[in-house]
Amino acid sequence: MGVRDLKAEVDGLMGGLRADLERLAAIPSIAFLGFPAEPVREAHDLLVGLICGFVATGAPWT
């Protein structure tokens, strides 16, 4: 893959990557005592889904 191809691939992924990051950032913080467990599970489930979706694409770097 050449530099131009790589740049085009990255440019094509940025919208979705930003949306995924915004979804993750919207999950409440767990940085305090007594935090509820549900946001941790929500973040876990979201990350598992994102990773599984990424691996399913067959990207050459996985």
Side-chain angles (χ1 to χ4, degrees):
M1 177 179 288
V3 172
R4 287 185 183 171
D5 294 332
L6 182 59
K7 183 180 181 332
E9 176 121 3
V10 169
D11 287 346
L13 294 172
M14 287 308 293
L17 294 172
R18 181 178 174 116
D20 293 339
L21 181 57
E22 288 173 355
R23 288 171 44 205
L24 285 169
I27 297 171
S29 174
I30 59 167
F32 59 89
L33 292 176
F35 63 85
E38 185 53 36
V40 176
R41 289 188 195 97
E42 181 182 359
H44 166 271
D45 294 346
L46 178 54
L47 283 171
V48 167
L50 292 172
I51 291 168
C52 288
F54 177 76
V55 171
T57 66
W61 49 85
T62 60

